[in-house]
Coordinates of all heavy atoms in Angstrom, one line a residue:
Chain B
D14 N -63.9 -49.3 1.1 CA -64.3 -48.1 1.8 C -64.0 -46.9 0.9 O -62.9 -46.8 0.4 CB -63.5 -47.9 3.1 CG -63.7 -49.1 4.0 OD1 -64.8 -49.3 4.5 OD2 -62.8 -49.9 4.2
S15 N -65.0 -46.1 0.7 CA -64.7 -44.8 0.0 C -64.0 -43.9 1.0 O -64.2 -43.9 2.2 CB -65.9 -44.2 -0.6 OG -66.6 -43.5 0.4
V16 N -63.1 -43.0 0.4 CA -62.4 -42.1 1.3 C -63.3 -41.2 2.1 O -63.1 -41.0 3.3 CB -61.4 -41.3 0.4 CG1 -60.8 -40.2 1.3 CG2 -60.3 -42.2 -0.1
S17 N -64.4 -40.7 1.4 CA -65.2 -39.8 2.2 C -65.9 -40.5 3.3 O -66.1 -39.9 4.4 CB -66.2 -39.1 1.2 OG -67.2 -40.0 0.8
S18 N -66.3 -41.8 3.1 CA -67.0 -42.4 4.3 C -65.9 -42.7 5.4 O -66.3 -42.7 6.6 CB -67.7 -43.7 3.8 OG -66.7 -44.7 3.5
L19 N -64.7 -43.0 5.0 CA -63.7 -43.2 6.0 C -63.5 -41.9 6.8 O -63.4 -42.0 8.1 CB -62.3 -43.6 5.4 CG -62.1 -45.0 4.9 CD1 -60.8 -45.2 4.2 CD2 -62.3 -46.0 6.0
V20 N -63.5 -40.8 6.2 CA -63.3 -39.5 6.9 C -64.5 -39.3 7.8 O -64.3 -38.9 9.0 CB -63.1 -38.3 5.9 CG1 -63.0 -37.0 6.7 CG2 -61.8 -38.5 5.1
D21 N -65.7 -39.5 7.3 CA -66.9 -39.4 8.2 C -66.8 -40.3 9.4 O -67.0 -39.8 10.5 CB -68.2 -39.8 7.4 CG -68.5 -38.8 6.3 OD1 -68.0 -37.7 6.4 OD2 -69.2 -39.2 5.4
D22 N -66.3 -41.5 9.2 CA -66.2 -42.5 10.3 C -65.1 -42.0 11.3 O -65.3 -42.2 12.5 CB -65.8 -43.9 9.8 CG -67.0 -44.5 9.1 OD1 -68.1 -44.0 9.1 OD2 -66.8 -45.6 8.4
L23 N -64.1 -41.4 10.7 CA -63.0 -40.9 11.6 C -63.5 -39.8 12.5 O -63.3 -39.9 13.7 CB -61.9 -40.3 10.7 CG -60.8 -39.5 11.5 CD1 -59.8 -40.5 12.2 CD2 -60.0 -38.6 10.5
F24 N -64.3 -38.9 12.0 CA -64.9 -37.8 12.8 C -65.8 -38.4 13.8 O -66.0 -37.8 14.9 CB -65.6 -36.8 11.9 CG -64.7 -36.0 11.0 CD1 -65.1 -35.4 9.8 CD2 -63.3 -35.9 11.3 CE1 -64.3 -34.6 9.0 CE2 -62.4 -35.1 10.5 CZ -62.9 -34.5 9.4
A25 N -66.4 -39.5 13.5 CA -67.3 -40.2 14.5 C -66.5 -41.0 15.5 O -67.1 -41.7 16.4 CB -68.3 -41.1 13.8
G26 N -65.2 -41.0 15.4 CA -64.4 -41.7 16.4 C -64.1 -43.1 16.1 O -63.7 -43.9 17.0
D27 N -64.2 -43.5 14.8 CA -63.9 -44.9 14.5 C -62.5 -45.2 14.3 O -61.8 -44.6 13.4 CB -64.8 -45.3 13.2 CG -64.6 -46.7 12.8 OD1 -64.5 -47.6 13.7 OD2 -64.6 -47.0 11.6
K28 N -61.9 -46.1 15.1 CA -60.5 -46.4 15.0 C -60.1 -47.1 13.7 O -59.0 -46.9 13.2 CB -60.1 -47.3 16.2 CG -60.0 -46.6 17.5 CD -59.5 -47.5 18.5 CE -59.3 -46.8 19.9 NZ -58.9 -47.8 20.9
R29 N -61.0 -48.0 13.2 CA -60.7 -48.7 12.0 C -60.5 -47.7 10.8 O -59.6 -47.8 10.0 CB -61.8 -49.7 11.7 CG -61.6 -50.5 10.4 CD -62.8 -51.5 10.2 NE -62.7 -52.0 8.9 CZ -63.3 -51.4 7.9 NH1 -63.9 -50.3 8.0 NH2 -63.2 -52.0 6.7
A30 N -61.4 -46.7 10.8 CA -61.3 -45.7 9.7 C -60.0 -44.9 9.9 O -59.3 -44.7 8.9 CB -62.5 -44.7 9.8
A31 N -59.6 -44.6 11.1 CA -58.3 -43.9 11.3 C -57.2 -44.7 10.8 O -56.3 -44.2 10.1 CB -58.1 -43.6 12.8
A32 N -57.2 -46.0 11.1 CA -56.1 -46.9 10.7 C -56.0 -47.0 9.1 O -54.9 -47.0 8.6 CB -56.3 -48.3 11.3
K33 N -57.2 -47.1 8.5 CA -57.2 -47.2 7.0 C -56.7 -45.9 6.4 O -56.0 -45.9 5.4 CB -58.6 -47.4 6.5 CG -59.2 -48.8 7.0 CD -59.1 -49.8 5.9 CE -59.5 -51.2 6.4 NZ -58.6 -52.2 5.9
L34 N -57.1 -44.8 7.0 CA -56.6 -43.5 6.4 C -55.1 -43.3 6.6 O -54.4 -42.9 5.7 CB -57.3 -42.3 7.1 CG -58.8 -42.1 6.7 CD1 -59.6 -41.2 7.7 CD2 -58.9 -41.6 5.3
I35 N -54.6 -43.8 7.7 CA -53.1 -43.7 7.9 C -52.4 -44.6 6.8 O -51.4 -44.2 6.3 CB -52.7 -44.1 9.3 CG1 -53.2 -43.1 10.3 CG2 -51.2 -44.3 9.4 CD1 -53.0 -43.5 11.8
S36 N -53.0 -45.7 6.5 CA -52.4 -46.6 5.5 C -52.4 -45.9 4.1 O -51.4 -46.0 3.4 CB -53.1 -47.9 5.4 OG -53.0 -48.6 6.5
L37 N -53.5 -45.2 3.8 CA -53.6 -44.5 2.5 C -52.5 -43.5 2.5 O -51.8 -43.3 1.4 CB -54.9 -43.8 2.4 CG -56.2 -44.6 2.1 CD1 -57.4 -43.8 2.0 CD2 -56.0 -45.4 0.8
I38 N -52.2 -42.8 3.6 CA -51.2 -41.7 3.6 C -49.8 -42.4 3.5 O -49.0 -41.9 2.7 CB -51.3 -40.9 4.9 CG1 -52.6 -40.1 5.0 CG2 -50.1 -40.0 5.1 CD1 -53.0 -39.6 6.4
E39 N -49.6 -43.5 4.2 CA -48.3 -44.1 4.1 C -48.0 -44.7 2.7 O -46.9 -44.6 2.3 CB -48.3 -45.4 5.1 CG -48.0 -45.0 6.5 CD -47.5 -46.3 7.2 OE1 -48.4 -47.1 7.5 OE2 -46.3 -46.5 7.5
D40 N -49.0 -45.2 2.1 CA -48.8 -45.8 0.8 C -48.8 -44.7 -0.3 O -48.7 -45.0 -1.5 CB -49.9 -46.8 0.5 CG -49.7 -48.0 1.3 OD1 -48.6 -48.3 1.8 OD2 -50.7 -48.8 1.5
D41 N -49.0 -43.4 0.1 CA -49.0 -42.3 -0.8 C -50.0 -42.4 -1.9 O -49.8 -42.1 -3.1 CB -47.6 -42.1 -1.4 CG -47.4 -40.7 -1.9 OD1 -48.1 -39.8 -1.5 OD2 -46.5 -40.5 -2.8
E42 N -51.2 -42.9 -1.5 CA -52.3 -43.0 -2.5 C -52.8 -41.7 -2.9 O -52.9 -40.7 -2.1 CB -53.5 -43.8 -1.8 CG -53.1 -45.3 -1.5 CD -52.9 -46.1 -2.7 OE1 -53.4 -45.7 -3.8 OE2 -52.3 -47.2 -2.6
P43 N -53.3 -41.5 -4.1 CA -53.8 -40.2 -4.5 C -55.0 -39.7 -3.6 O -55.1 -38.5 -3.4 CB -54.4 -40.5 -6.0 CG -53.7 -41.7 -6.4 CD -53.3 -42.5 -5.2
E44 N -55.8 -40.6 -3.1 CA -57.0 -40.2 -2.3 C -56.5 -39.6 -1.0 O -57.3 -39.0 -0.3 CB -57.9 -41.4 -2.0 CG -58.4 -42.2 -3.1 CD -57.5 -43.5 -3.3 OE1 -56.3 -43.3 -3.6 OE2 -58.0 -44.6 -3.1
A45 N -55.2 -39.9 -0.6 CA -54.8 -39.4 0.7 C -54.8 -37.9 0.8 O -55.2 -37.3 1.8 CB -53.4 -39.9 1.0
T46 N -54.5 -37.2 -0.3 CA -54.4 -35.8 -0.4 C -55.8 -35.2 -0.1 O -56.0 -34.3 0.6 CB -54.0 -35.3 -1.8 OG1 -52.9 -36.2 -2.2 CG2 -53.5 -33.9 -1.8
E47 N -56.8 -35.8 -0.8 CA -58.2 -35.4 -0.6 C -58.7 -35.6 0.9 O -59.3 -34.7 1.4 CB -59.0 -36.3 -1.5 CG -60.5 -36.2 -1.5 CD -61.2 -37.4 -2.1 OE1 -60.6 -38.1 -3.0 OE2 -62.3 -37.8 -1.7
A48 N -58.3 -36.7 1.4 CA -58.7 -37.0 2.8 C -58.0 -36.0 3.8 O -58.7 -35.4 4.6 CB -58.3 -38.4 3.2
L49 N -56.7 -35.7 3.6 CA -56.0 -34.8 4.4 C -56.6 -33.4 4.3 O -56.7 -32.7 5.3 CB -54.5 -34.8 4.1 CG -53.8 -36.0 4.7 CD1 -52.4 -36.1 4.0 CD2 -53.7 -36.0 6.2
A50 N -57.0 -33.0 3.1 CA -57.6 -31.7 3.0 C -58.9 -31.6 3.8 O -59.1 -30.5 4.4 CB -57.9 -31.5 1.5
R51 N -59.6 -32.7 3.9 CA -60.8 -32.6 4.7 C -60.5 -32.7 6.2 O -61.2 -32.1 7.1 CB -61.8 -33.8 4.4 CG -62.9 -33.3 3.4 CD -63.9 -34.4 3.3 NE -64.8 -34.5 4.4 CZ -65.6 -35.6 4.7 NH1 -65.5 -36.6 3.9 NH2 -66.4 -35.5 5.7
I52 N -59.5 -33.4 6.6 CA -59.1 -33.6 8.0 C -58.5 -32.4 8.6 O -58.8 -32.0 9.7 CB -58.2 -34.8 8.1 CG1 -58.9 -36.1 7.7 CG2 -57.6 -34.9 9.5 CD1 -58.0 -37.3 7.5
F53 N -57.7 -31.7 7.8 CA -56.9 -30.6 8.3 C -57.6 -29.6 9.1 O -57.1 -29.2 10.2 CB -56.1 -29.9 7.1 CG -55.1 -29.0 7.6 CD1 -53.9 -29.4 8.2 CD2 -55.3 -27.6 7.5 CE1 -53.0 -28.5 8.7 CE2 -54.3 -26.7 8.0 CZ -53.2 -27.1 8.6
P54 N -58.7 -29.1 8.7 CA -59.4 -28.1 9.5 C -59.8 -28.6 10.9 O -60.1 -27.8 11.8 CB -60.7 -27.7 8.7 CG -60.4 -28.2 7.3 CD -59.5 -29.3 7.5
H55 N -59.9 -29.9 11.1 CA -60.3 -30.5 12.3 C -59.1 -30.9 13.2 O -59.2 -31.7 14.1 CB -61.2 -31.7 12.1 CG -62.4 -31.4 11.3 ND1 -63.6 -31.2 11.9 CD2 -62.6 -31.3 10.0 CE1 -64.5 -30.9 11.0 NE2 -63.9 -31.0 9.8
T56 N -57.9 -30.3 12.9 CA -56.7 -30.7 13.7 C -56.2 -29.4 14.4 O -56.7 -28.3 14.2 CB -55.6 -31.2 12.7 OG1 -55.3 -30.2 11.8 CG2 -56.1 -32.5 12.0
G57 N -55.2 -29.7 15.2 CA -54.6 -28.5 15.9 C -55.0 -28.5 17.4 O -54.5 -27.6 18.1
R58 N -55.7 -29.5 17.8 CA -56.2 -29.5 19.2 C -55.2 -30.4 20.1 O -55.0 -30.1 21.2 CB -57.6 -30.1 19.3 CG -58.6 -29.0 19.0 CD -60.0 -29.7 18.9 NE -60.0 -30.8 17.9 CZ -61.1 -31.3 17.4 NH1 -62.3 -30.9 17.9 NH2 -61.1 -32.3 16.6

Side-chain angles (χ1 to χ4, degrees):
Chain B
D14 303 290
S15 80
V16 170
S17 74
S18 73
L19 283 177
V20 176
D21 291 339
D22 290 349
L23 172 75
F24 291 157
D27 181 35
K28 286 183 174 180
R29 179 178 167 277
K33 296 261 173 221
L34 285 165
I35 292 173
S36 296
L37 287 177
I38 294 164
E39 276 200 285
D40 291 339
D41 202 21
E42 295 290 341
E44 307 98 293
T46 320
E47 175 197 332
L49 283 167
R51 261 191 78 197
I52 292 167
F53 188 71
H55 299 266
T56 61
R58 282 172 303 195

